[in-house]
């Protein structure tokens, strides 16, 4: 079997955790297929990440210097296309992350690759077999890629347990510098970063969160949930639609584009449990979910669940609390 | 300025849905159809740009979908889109994002737009991929997950904010023509009034097959990125302990669990 190529991710001088998860997933394939495992680092100074990617089982680290300081989608796109051309991997693994979603699908389209995004399981049966959510994660679709010499899969972060690198033995994995013609390829110009704003409420420190979702439906209901949270001794957090609607500040948002929280108790009221929401709260110690839909994916991570109308439950909670 | 907005009629599962006997799909009787949430924001962004541009631009919505998806197109026309295209052949049922992007590319290329605005993702398939794949086929510069868009007509460029993980935002500049994928919350999508809903039926809605937009037979099959072997319920591990009983009983149990866990 031809090689497995993992594309590591870096941002502002740091390696992103998903990179080691991709390596772990690739190691599974390597075991089943006998492939070699190559890990490419696309960065202005790729060599600085070599030690933290030197995990057991990685056969070679490809150091690909980029002309831009920060991620640039078209540079990554061209680099990956050229790597595929030169290395002829049978399988390419990327993270299902904002950066990689900015170029991975374009590479798959242009090169006619097998392709799937938001992949949550990966196995090998003469070729890759990938599982991904369907209908808002209420079902799983199992995919294969017949007739494709190369398949690009984008794996959901937090799904595969990260491999462990051994930075004390960087020499254990051979590195190779790959110089690609990437000057003039960028089609966007980085201006700046808007840093995350500090806020007076820090939901990441709260031991108990009452979290409300779109099912609340009405801005005027929010004070009621604030009062409920207060009486329970909790802090109020929300899913994204309430921030998008301008009802709550972004500092209260739990999820991929908001905060990652790990409270002792997370009480989710009327939140479906979309993947980007779960990304921010799935490691909470105890998750209690109230939702009218028995198939809501939130029940897949919850420890306690109730199929019930949240307003009826809140009426009763107010009674119980007196 | 011409803006093309690819939109999707998405399907949500009823609470009590059933799979087809062979596990290949969902029984269509249990699907609720609606315009993809993200596409309401990309359409609004397009309409606002057209208005800002003196109103003489054109907003064209395009979908890959069967006849039922005309519902979504009519909704977009009622909100203010000028024209709609529907692309379809039976090969497109449950198609993967590369197939959809390949077909969209053929139709969009003929429009020579200044801007293509997709949604970040569709709520039913959650590929997050069709827009950037389309940009790949069109060889168009692209930015994914845009939460703010400022168009500078004089420079024929846009300054956009790209939303990263954890709430970090990157500000960047891109020249037009370009394809952007639009994130929710970027604007406040308008509603259509009754009159506009009636008038939507008068606006042009063209239906084309892949051949009619210039694709050769076999082009879509060749583009397809995957094959669906099976659809199955998710592996939910141990699952949650379900609290039974009335709302009052549920509330009492919740308070008990909270007290126990917080003590
Ligand atoms: C790049 C990207 C980043 C994102 N980042 C985030 C993020 O950081 N955080 C986030 O939350 N989302 C994020 N999202 C959005 C995410 O995909 C979902 O759209 C969002 O989480 C849905 O929020 P929700 O569960 O409140 O709403 P919905 O999905 O609409 O769910 C509402 C739920 O309420 C239930 N319900 C309805 N009425 C009642 C009732 N009376 N009682 C009880 N239950 C009821 C319904 O059954 C449903 O399950 C992101 C999306 C993208 C593409
Ligand atoms: N069938 C379709 N027809 C038109 N546009 C689509 C279709 N499917 C996806 N798109 C576009 O691609 C975006 C992302 O969808 P997806 O890649 O499926 O998550 C959507 O918001 C639409 O803009």
């Amino acid at each position: 079997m031809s090689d497995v190529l993992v594309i590591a991710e870096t941002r502002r001088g740091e390696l992103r955790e998903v990179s080691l998860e991709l390596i772990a997933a690739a190691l599974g394939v390597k075991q089943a297929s006998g492939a070699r495992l190559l890990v490419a680092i696309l960065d202005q100074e790729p060599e600085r990440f070599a030690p933290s990617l030197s995990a057991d089982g990685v056969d070679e680290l490809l150091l690909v210097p980029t002309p831009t300081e920060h991620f640039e989608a078209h540079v990554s796109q061209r680099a990956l296309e050229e790597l595929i051309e030169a290395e002829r991997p049978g399988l390419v693994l990327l993270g299902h992350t904002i950066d990689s979603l900015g170029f991975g699908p374009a590479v798959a389209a242009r090169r006619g690759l097998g392709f799937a995004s938001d992949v949550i399981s990966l196995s090998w049966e003469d070729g890759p077999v990938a599982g991904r959510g369907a209908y808002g994660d209420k079902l799983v679709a199992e995919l294969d890629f017949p007739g494709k010499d190369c398949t690009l899969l984008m794996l959901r972060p937090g799904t595969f347990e990260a491999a462990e690198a051994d930075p004390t033995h960087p020499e254990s994995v051979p590195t190779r510098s790959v110089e690609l013609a990437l000057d003039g390829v960028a089609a966007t110009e980085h201006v700046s970063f808007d840093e995350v704003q500090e806020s007076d409420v820090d939901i990441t420190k709260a031991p108990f969160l009452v979290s409300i979702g779109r099912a609340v439906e009405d801005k005027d209901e929010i004070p009621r949930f604030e009062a409920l949270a207060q009486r329970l001794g909790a802090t109020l957090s929300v899913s994204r639609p309430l921030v998008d609607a301008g009802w709550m500040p972004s500092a209260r948002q739990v999820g991929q584009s908001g905060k990652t929280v790990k409270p002792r108790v997370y009480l989710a009221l009327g939140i479906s449990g979309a993947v980007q929401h779960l990304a921010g709260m799935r490691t909470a110690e105890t998750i209690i979910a109230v939702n009218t839909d028995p198939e809501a994916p939130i029940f897949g991570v919850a420890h306690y669940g109730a199929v019930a109308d949240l307003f009826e439950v809140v009426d009763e909670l107010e009674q119980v609390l007196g | 300025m011409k803006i093309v907005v690819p939109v999707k009629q998405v399907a949500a599962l009823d609470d009590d849905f059933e799979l087809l006997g062979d596990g290949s799909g969902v029984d269509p009787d249990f699907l609720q159809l609606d315009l993809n949430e993200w596409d309401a924001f990309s359409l609004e962004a397009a309409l606002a740009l057209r208005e800002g541009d003196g109103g003489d631009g054109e907003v064209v919505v395009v979908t890959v979908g069967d006849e039922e998806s005309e519902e979504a197109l009519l909704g977009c026309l009622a909100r203010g889109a000028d024209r709609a295209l529907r692309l379809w052949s039976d090969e497109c049922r449950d198609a993967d994002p590369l197939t959809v992007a390949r077909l969209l590319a053929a139709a969009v290329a003929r429009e020579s737009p200044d801007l293509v605005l997709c949604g970040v993702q569709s709520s039913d398939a959650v590929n997050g991929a069709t827009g950037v794949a389309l940009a790949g086929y069109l060889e168009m510069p692209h930015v994914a997950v845009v939460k703010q868009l400022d168009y500078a007509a004089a420079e024929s460029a846009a300054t956009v904010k790209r939303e990263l993980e954890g709430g970090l935002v990157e500000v960047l500049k891109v020249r037009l023509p370009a394809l952007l994928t639009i994130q929710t919350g970027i604007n406040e999508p308008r509603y259509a009034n009754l009159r506009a809903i009636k008038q939507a039926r008068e606006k042009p809605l063209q239906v084309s097959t892949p051949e009619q937009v210039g694709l050769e037979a076999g082009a879509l099959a060749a583009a397809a990125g995957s094959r669906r072997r099976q659809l199955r319920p998710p592996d939910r591990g141990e699952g949650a302990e379900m609290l039974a009983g009335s709302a009052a009983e549920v509330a009492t149990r919740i308070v008990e669990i909270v007290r126990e866990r917080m003590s």
Side-chain angles (χ1 to χ4, degrees):
Chain A
M1 140 80 183
S2 45
D3 299 344
V4 179
L5 173 64
V6 161
I7 306 297
E9 260 191 50
T10 68
R11 178 174 292 156
R12 303 172 97 185
E14 299 208 9
L15 185 72
R16 305 199 66 224
E17 175 76 4
V18 69
S19 311
L20 290 158
E21 298 169 10
L22 298 176
I23 291 176
L27 286 171
V29 170
K30 176 175 165 160
Q31 223 170 28
S33 72
R36 271 165 34 95
L37 168 51
L38 311 179
V39 177
I41 311 165
L42 282 51
D43 192 87
Q44 204 170 29
E45 299 167 40
E47 59 288 346
R48 60 186 160 160
F49 302 103
S52 21
L53 286 163
S54 296
D56 262 354
V58 176
D59 292 294
E60 205 173 12
L61 290 174
L62 308 183
L63 308 179
V64 186
T66 56
T68 47
E69 181 185 358
H70 298 292
F71 166 83
E72 205 286 330
H74 309 80
V75 168
S76 293
Q77 182 177 323
R78 174 72 65 83
L80 179 53
E81 285 185 38
E82 298 213 352
L83 284 173
I84 291 173
E85 185 67 37
E87 309 293 331
R88 303 260 155 210
L91 180 64
V92 178
L93 299 182
L94 266 65
H96 185 82
T97 58
I98 304 291
D99 282 356
S100 292
L101 283 166
F103 71 97
V107 173
R110 289 166 53 86
R111 297 204 56 92
L113 309 182
F115 176 78
S117 58
D118 196 24
V119 168
I120 54 174
S121 70
L122 173 60
S123 59
W124 189 264
E125 300 173 16
D126 287 331
V129 175
R132 69 183 310 279
Y135 299 102
D137 274 337
K138 288 187 184 182
L139 292 168
V140 175
E142 206 176 86
L143 308 174
D144 62 6
F145 310 89
K148 299 289 183 182
D149 299 332
C150 177
T151 296
L152 188 159
L153 300 178
M154 310 195 62
L155 308 190
R156 181 185 293 183
T159 310
F160 296 85
E161 194 156 341
E164 267 180 52
D166 186 357
T168 54
H169 290 99
E171 64 280 10
S172 60
V173 179
T175 60
R176 169 157 52 107
S177 285
V178 182
E179 299 286 338
L180 302 174
L182 299 172
D183 285 325
V185 170
T188 64
E189 189 192 321
H190 172 84
V191 177
S192 60
F193 284 108
D194 285 356
E195 303 297 336
V196 181
Q197 296 293 316
E198 295 266 337
S199 152
D200 47 342
V201 185
D202 186 355
I203 59 169
T204 67
K205 300 232 161 68
F208 178 16
L209 289 172
V210 170
S211 207
I212 53 177
R214 185 173 359 230
V216 163
E217 272 183 359
D218 185 353
K219 184 178 192 208
D220 297 337
E221 293 286 345
I222 288 186
R224 180 174 180 198
F225 292 95
E226 263 164 353
L228 175 73
Q230 201 172 26
R231 275 154 93 186
L232 281 164
T235 304
L236 188 67
S237 60
V238 299
S239 69
R240 177 170 183 131
L242 280 69
V243 176
D244 282 345
W247 298 353
M248 288 293 278
S250 59
R252 300 271 187 157
Q253 181 185 318
V254 172
Q256 181 195 290
S257 53
K259 307 283 184 210
T260 300
V261 299
K262 202 178 180 236
R264 282 159 76 183
V265 178
Y266 189 85
L267 173 57
L269 303 174
I271 294 176
S272 61
V275 46
Q276 296 96 353
H277 188 81
L278 301 186
M281 47 63 75
R282 65 181 318 147
T283 60
E285 281 173 37
T286 300
I287 299 167
I288 311 171
V290 178
N291 196 303
T292 42
D293 177 3
E295 307 289 342
I298 189 84
F299 291 129
V301 301
H303 304 92
Y304 298 94
V307 178
D309 184 319
L310 76 93
F311 290 102
E312 290 176 19
V313 172
V314 168
D315 282 341
E316 298 297 337
L317 280 171
E318 288 165 348
Q319 293 282 325
V320 176
L321 297 168
Chain B
M1 175 150 74
K2 188 186 223 176
I3 309 173
V4 171
V5 184
V7 299
K8 182 180 182 189
Q9 173 95 312
V10 292
L13 288 186
D14 277 351
D15 292 359
D16 56 351
F17 70 93
E18 283 172 21
L19 290 180
L20 294 172
D22 61 1
S24 66
V26 174
D27 185 334
D29 287 350
F30 297 92
L31 294 175
Q32 307 269 355
L33 303 178
D34 214 341
L35 175 67
N36 179 33
E37 183 183 350
W38 277 264
D39 300 345
F41 292 92
S42 51
L43 175 65
E44 179 61 39
L47 296 173
L49 280 172
R50 185 190 62 191
E51 281 150 17
D53 199 31
D56 42 276
E58 190 182 25
V59 173
V60 183
V61 287
V62 52
T63 197
V64 173
D66 62 12
E67 226 178 306
E68 283 194 272
S69 68
E70 288 191 7
E71 197 60 43
L73 291 179
L74 286 170
C76 295
L77 292 171
R79 289 182 193 189
D82 299 292
R83 194 149 68 72
L85 305 172
R86 180 168 74 82
L87 311 167
W88 187 246
S89 81
D90 279 334
E91 286 179 87
C92 299
R93 190 163 304 286
D94 288 329
D96 86 299
L98 296 189
T99 309
V100 173
R102 184 71 196 85
L103 180 51
L104 286 172
V108 174
R110 300 182 151 212
E111 298 284 340
S112 303
D114 301 292
L115 206 50
V116 181
L117 300 182
C118 286
V120 168
Q121 69 177 28
S122 57
S123 57
D124 52 355
V126 195
N127 298 306
T130 307
V132 173
L134 173 58
Y137 286 124
L138 294 171
E139 306 210 7
M140 211 181 242
H142 48 89
V143 181
V145 197
V146 168
K147 60 167 285 179
Q148 194 179 311
L149 164 58
D150 293 306
Y151 169 61
E155 298 169 55
S156 188
T159 301
V160 301
K161 292 193 174 182
R162 191 168 77 93
E163 178 189 280
L164 307 178
E165 287 88 353
L168 184 67
V169 169
E170 186 190 12
V171 187
L172 60 165
K173 267 193 174 166
V174 61
R175 298 196 131 278
L176 271 43
L179 180 146
L180 311 178
T181 75
I182 300 294
Q183 177 63 309
T184 57
I186 188 175
N187 52 37
E188 239 180 274
R190 68 192 66 185
Y191 291 100
N193 61 37
L194 266 174
R195 215 180 88 215
I197 292 171
K198 281 199 195 116
Q199 284 171 345
R201 295 202 176 266
E202 319 282 296
K203 291 186 177 176
L205 190 166
Q206 191 185 346
V207 184
S208 304
T209 61
E211 293 72 42
Q212 285 167 329
V213 292
L215 282 181
E216 287 167 22
L220 288 183
S226 65
R227 178 178 70 176
R228 185 152 96 191
R229 298 208 303 191
Q230 197 199 25
L231 207 53
R232 57 177 164 81
D235 177 11
R236 286 258 171 101
E238 288 181 15
E241 178 188 330
M242 298 312 275
L243 310 178
S246 65
E249 286 164 300
V250 167
T252 309
R253 276 293 285 140
I254 289 176
V255 171
E256 278 170 18
I257 295 164
V258 168
R259 290 205 170 123
E260 183 194 309
R261 296 299 152 122
M262 294 305 299
S263 61

